[in-house]
């Protein structure tokens, strides 16, 4: 938000310099992010002074040039060669001295240097208005009428003092400060001096006259609507003072009517809108909801399709003339031929304006304020202020009484404040009188005071423009802001009445451990949007009732909370593939959301892992290797091992988004899935190459994680390896063989691994061969051949019995 310091001082007179005011505002929560000097004329006419032409003679070597001497306030007159036809002795003129930089109305800036023109020395320049940015005329030099002495800075003569501009980082809860008067109110509380609303005492409206009638058809969406009819309006350029005010805060002047509405908005924080009264069919305004599907062309010449949620300002036939609180219409706006204006000043419900603004992608100064909450009691003041300004700058005449529809008064918020809570939450005694002063400065009144059991309690009336002050804690925060955070002393020994419990294990520590593991393997962490497109999960004719839908979504592509993490990652994959980044290894810790049959909502944290393209980069030593199922499964298994589950059991599963997926079981609990993303899902998201995906139930893993480590002595006796080749049916998995082996030999079997598989014409149809290694070890003695043979024989018998295996020898 941009604030002009000169403009601010018309509402809150102060002798404090701008930097001190900025420090006060920052300390109270209105952070001044920057201070800039503003010059209404580029360069501020620096180096330009008033002078008097002492002599003027024709240049001896040029018919159209004059040789002049000009007094500029010092002892030595300047000789200046001038080409203006109207230069003459005795004139008061504007002189650019040597070294001055001129900023002409058109063209690039240039610096004045001492030079020779047709052999004659020239020590400056007598200026025309276009040469110094004051106008467009180049017919001749500026000739002044003034008694100011020679040498007076030209900026003083033209009243071009510099202004200081505050760039304030306005937080969403501070709608009350979204104007110059709002900042003035803040300074009133900080400095204990009065802030002055612009006077509207001179406003006078007739008691009768042909008027525009107003009907509010939805008083929840529009609690108050006021308007005023003006005639004899002459639309044209605004006076220089008004244009300068608007330029100082970064606005471009348009015409005097529009400029006045913008001026009042930034002065008082109350948005206004000016209608061409001739465009209001039936001399009637209806504040109503739009018809779903109707078209409306806004001031930017864009045809927009409205919904039944949009609030519009319509004529007697219901035709929209403006999106309430957001943007005006093309056909009802003020133009050069407008002579009658209906001025609107209203209070709209923040949620209604926010929904329309977001739905149509329109962000305006008006919607910015209405969305956050304006002051319903500023409505008539702003209307009268604008009317008086239009009388001044556009010759307007007030043609009819003020229309002010306010069916239900908006009450103040009532908040109870216990004085002992102030000291408890702030940590320092402030004093009752100081608290009273602060509340008075903030416009908060004390309606009732009670004391019970030694505790003093006040019933406070909080004005509606303080939209974020609704609780006792909010009141105390307001007191602290004005009292000053820096004034709260730091005690030698701080203590708290509450100590938050620390989770064990710390979720962030565990998460960082896994993140470091995956990043160390070449994976990149991503963070994706929890909002996604419902079309990823349902067909138009078959809605999914488990989806958590967004009621006021901004885009159809972001209309539900994601029920699965997979698709968010695939959007990242697609984004990178479209930019020729084809080798990707990604992971994300993210939440998923679902709606249960009972109508409740479930939120769950999962870890997603995506692989596509090459698993390893190509080098001169190794060729490129495409990512496979085992790369995804291996990454998931390493995460599980790091969390204390090295023996996750795979189990075939039917997954809605995976082709040939496996479920990962720990303690007979399915805690994850791994597999290739199904072609149908890839096609729906327009992903052009295969993707492997693994997903783990992060909440379950975190719950079961134990940070303790158990140390044991290294074995003293050697391990022994034995290999077997087993021919089994194709339906038999290695996991089944592992389970048989571990059940058969629990003491000596330390591990087994498949190191080769074979399927081919050397085996019977429907058969395959596993080559498996077995590691045996006894912690108490060296294994003998007899003990080894006994173990292997038991394993062979059980493989033959339970798996129908044929042992190849």
């Amino acid at each position: 938000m941009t604030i002009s310091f000169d403009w601010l001082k018309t509402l809150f007179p102060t002798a404090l310099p701008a930097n001190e005011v900025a420090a006060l505002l920052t300390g109270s929560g209105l952070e001044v992010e920057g201070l800039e000097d503003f010059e209404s004329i580029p360069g501020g006419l620096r180096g330009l002074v008033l002078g008097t032409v002492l002599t003027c003679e024709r240049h001896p070597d040029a018919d159209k040039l004059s040789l002049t001497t000009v007094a500029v306030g010092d002892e030595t007159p300047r000789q200046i060669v001038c080409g203006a036809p109207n230069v003459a002795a005795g004139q008061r003129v504007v002189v650019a001295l040597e070294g001055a930089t001129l900023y002409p109305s058109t063209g690039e800036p240039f610096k004045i240097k001492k030079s020779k023109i047709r052999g004659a020395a020239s020590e400056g320049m007598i200026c025309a208005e276009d040469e110094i940015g004051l106008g467009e005329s180049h017919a001749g030099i500026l000739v002044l009428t003034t008694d100011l002495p020679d040498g007076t800075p030209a900026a003083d003569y033209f009243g071009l003092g510099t202004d200081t501009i505050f760039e304030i980082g306005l937080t969403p809860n501070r709608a009350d400060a979204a104007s110059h008067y709002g900042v003035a109110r803040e300074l009133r509380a900080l400095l204990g001096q009065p802030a002055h609303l612009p006077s509207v005492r001179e406003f006078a409206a007739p008691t009768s006259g042909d008027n525009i009638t107003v009907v509010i058809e939805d008083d929840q969406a529009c609690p108050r609507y006021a308007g005023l009819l003006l005639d004899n309006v002459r639309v044209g350029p605004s006076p220089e003072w008004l244009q300068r005010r608007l330029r100082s805060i970064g606005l471009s002047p348009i015409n005097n009517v529009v400029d006045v509405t913008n001026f009042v908005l930034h002065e008082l924080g109350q948005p206004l809108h000016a209608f061409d009264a001739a465009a209001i069919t039936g001399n009637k305004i209806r504040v109503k909801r739009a018809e779903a599907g109707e078209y409306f062309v806004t001031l930017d010449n864009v045809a927009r399709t409205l919904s039944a949620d949009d609030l519009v300002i319509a004529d007697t036939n219901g035709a929209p003339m403006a999106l309430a609180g957001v943007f005006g219409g093309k056909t009802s706006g003020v133009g050069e031929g407008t002579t009658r204006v209906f001025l609107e000043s209203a209070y709209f419900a923040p949620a209604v304006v926010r929904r329309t603004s977001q739905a149509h992608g329109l962000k305006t100064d008006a919607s910015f304020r209405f969305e956050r909450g304006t002051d319903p009691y500023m409505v008539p003041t702003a209307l009268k202020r604008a009317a008086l300004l239009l009388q001044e700058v556009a010759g307007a005449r007030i043609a009819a009484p003020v229309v002010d529809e306010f069916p239900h008064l908006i009450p103040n918020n009532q908040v109870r404040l216990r004085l002992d809570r102030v000291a408890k939450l702030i940590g320092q005694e402030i004093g009752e009188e100081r608290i009273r002063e602060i509340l008075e400065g903030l416009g908060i009144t004390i309606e009732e005071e009670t004391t019970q059991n030694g505790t003093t309690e006040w019933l406070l009336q909080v004005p509606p423009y303080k939209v974020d002050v609704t609780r006792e804690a909010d009141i105390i925060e307001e007191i602290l802001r004005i009292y000053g955070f820096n004034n709260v002393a730091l005690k030698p020994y701080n203590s708290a009445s509450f100590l938050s419990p620390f989770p064990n294990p710390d979720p962030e520590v565990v998460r960082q451990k896994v993140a470091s593991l995956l990043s160390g393997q070449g994976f990149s962490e991503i963070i994706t949007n929890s909002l996604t497109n419902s079309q990823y999960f349902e067909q138009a004719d078959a809605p999914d009732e488990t989806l958590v839908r967004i009621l006021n979504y901004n885009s159809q592509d972001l209309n539900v909370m994601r029920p699965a993490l997979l698709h968010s990652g695939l959007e990242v994959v697609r984004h990178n593939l479209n930019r020729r980044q084809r080798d990707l290894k990604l992971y994300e810790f993210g939440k998923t959301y679902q709606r249960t049959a009972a109508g409740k909502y479930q939120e769950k944290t999962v870890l997603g892992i995506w692989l596509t393209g090459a698993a390893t980069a190509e080098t001169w030593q190794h060729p490129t290797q495409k990512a496979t199922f085992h790369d995804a499964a291996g990454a998931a298994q390493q995460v599980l091992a790091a969390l204390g589950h090295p023996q996750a059991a795979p189990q075939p599963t039917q997954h809605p988004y995976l082709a040939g997926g496996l479920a990962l079981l720990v303690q007979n609990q399915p805690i994850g899935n791994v597999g290739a993303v199904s072609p149908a899902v890839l096609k729906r998201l327009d992903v052009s190459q295969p993707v492997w995906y693994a997903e783990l139930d992060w909440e379950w893993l975190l719950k079961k994680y134990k940070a303790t480590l158990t140390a044991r002595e290294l074995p003293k006796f050697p391990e022994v390896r034995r290999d077997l080749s087993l021919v089994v049916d194709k339906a038999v998995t290695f996991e089944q063989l592992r389970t048989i082996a571990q059940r058969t030999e629990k003491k000596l079997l330390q591990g087994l691994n498949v190191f080769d598989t074979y399927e081919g014409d050397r085996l019977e149809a429907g058969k395959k061969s596993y080559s498996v290694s077995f590691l045996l070890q006894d912690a108490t003695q060296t294994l003998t051949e007899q003990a080894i043979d006994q173990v292997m024989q038991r394993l062979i018998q059980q493989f033959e019995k339970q798996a129908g295996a044929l042992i190849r020898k």
Side-chain angles (χ1 to χ4, degrees), residues 233-250:
V233 177
R234 296 188 298 274
V235 178
S238 296
E240 181 59 32
W241 72 265
L242 180 53
Q243 293 193 37
R244 189 182 307 130
R245 281 280 189 249
L246 295 179
R247 289 194 186 101
S248 71
I249 58 173

Side-chain angles (χ1 to χ4, degrees), residues 196-412:
H196 305 290
L197 268 173
S199 174
V200 293
R201 288 193 300 269
E202 296 179 6
F203 176 85
T207 57
S208 62
D210 293 336
N211 209 346
I212 306 291
T213 59
V214 173
V215 177
I216 301 176
E217 299 182 13
D218 187 341
D219 59 12
Q220 296 298 312
C222 177
R224 187 173 193 177
Y225 190 98
L228 182 65
L229 183 63
L230 303 159
D231 62 13
N232 295 339
V233 177
R234 296 188 298 274
V235 178
S238 296
E240 181 59 32
W241 72 265
L242 180 53
Q243 293 193 37
R244 189 182 307 130
R245 281 280 189 249
L246 295 179
R247 289 194 186 101
S248 71
I249 58 173
L251 297 182
S252 298
I254 299 173
N255 61 52
N256 46 8
V257 176
V258 175
D259 292 350
V260 163
T261 62
N262 286 332
F263 177 87
V264 173
L265 180 150
H266 287 276
E267 182 177 60
L268 303 180
Q270 172 61 44
L272 304 174
H273 186 69
F275 293 98
D276 186 335
I280 304 176
T281 303
N283 285 338
K284 182 178 181 180
I285 277 182
R286 297 168 59 192
V287 186
K288 60 184 283 291
R289 298 284 184 167
E291 300 295 329
E294 70 177 319
Y295 290 98
F296 175 57
V297 181
T298 45
L299 276 170
D300 54 0
N301 207 29
V302 175
R304 304 178 187 276
T305 303
L306 306 184
S307 74
D309 291 330
D310 293 325
L311 187 71
V312 296
I313 310 303
D315 61 19
T316 189
N317 297 325
M321 297 186 295
L323 288 172
V326 180
F327 212 31
K330 184 175 179 61
T331 59
S332 62
V334 172
E336 292 181 359
T338 300
T339 58
R340 297 173 71 241
V341 168
F342 184 75
L343 202 58
E344 168 195 282
S345 180
Y347 174 76
F348 299 113
V352 174
V353 175
R354 187 181 307 116
R355 187 179 297 113
T356 296
S357 173
Q358 291 178 346
H360 296 285
L362 288 170
K363 296 295 182 183
T364 61
D365 285 339
S367 68
F368 176 86
R369 285 156 179 82
F370 279 130
E371 287 179 22
R372 288 157 176 78
T374 57
D375 183 0
Y377 294 99
M378 187 61 76
V379 166
T381 302
L383 190 65
K384 294 173 183 178
R385 170 70 164 157
L388 291 172
L389 288 171
L390 287 173
Q391 286 180 322
E392 175 186 343
V393 305
R397 184 181 73 89
I398 300 172
V402 173
V403 179
D404 191 357
E405 296 295 325
F406 198 4
H408 308 291
L409 294 180
I410 298 175
N412 291 333

Side-chain angles (χ1 to χ4, degrees), residues 43-94:
L45 302 185
R46 284 187 292 274
L48 278 68
V49 299
L50 303 190
T52 301
V53 180
L54 301 177
T55 64
C56 179
E57 302 174 354
R58 179 171 293 181
H59 193 292
D61 296 324
D63 292 340
K64 294 184 178 181
L65 298 180
S66 299
L67 196 60
T68 67
T69 55
V70 183
V72 292
D74 55 16
E75 296 180 356
T76 306
R78 302 293 196 275
Q79 177 174 292
I80 298 176
V81 177
C82 180
N86 64 329
V87 64
Q91 292 174 335
R92 300 302 307 281
V93 293
V94 177

Side-chain angles (χ1 to χ4, degrees), residues 719-776:
E719 63 183 18
V720 176
R721 170 174 168 166
R722 291 290 186 268
D723 297 341
L724 290 177
S725 183
L726 299 92
V727 178
V728 295
D729 292 338
K730 285 186 177 181
V732 177
T733 65
F734 174 68
E735 188 61 31
Q736 291 176 285
L737 299 179
R738 183 203 300 273
T739 301
I740 293 171
Q742 290 175 338
R743 289 176 179 173
T744 301
E745 180 54 55
K746 298 180 179 179
K747 179 182 178 183
L748 300 182
L749 182 61
Q750 303 300 316
L752 67 161
N753 181 52
V754 58
F755 60 88
D756 194 16
T757 61
Y758 175 75
E759 295 182 36
D761 53 8
R762 289 185 291 175
L763 294 178
E764 296 179 29
K767 298 289 185 178
K768 63 181 175 182
S769 172
Y770 285 114
S771 296
V772 182
S773 63
F774 300 84
L775 293 179
L776 306 177

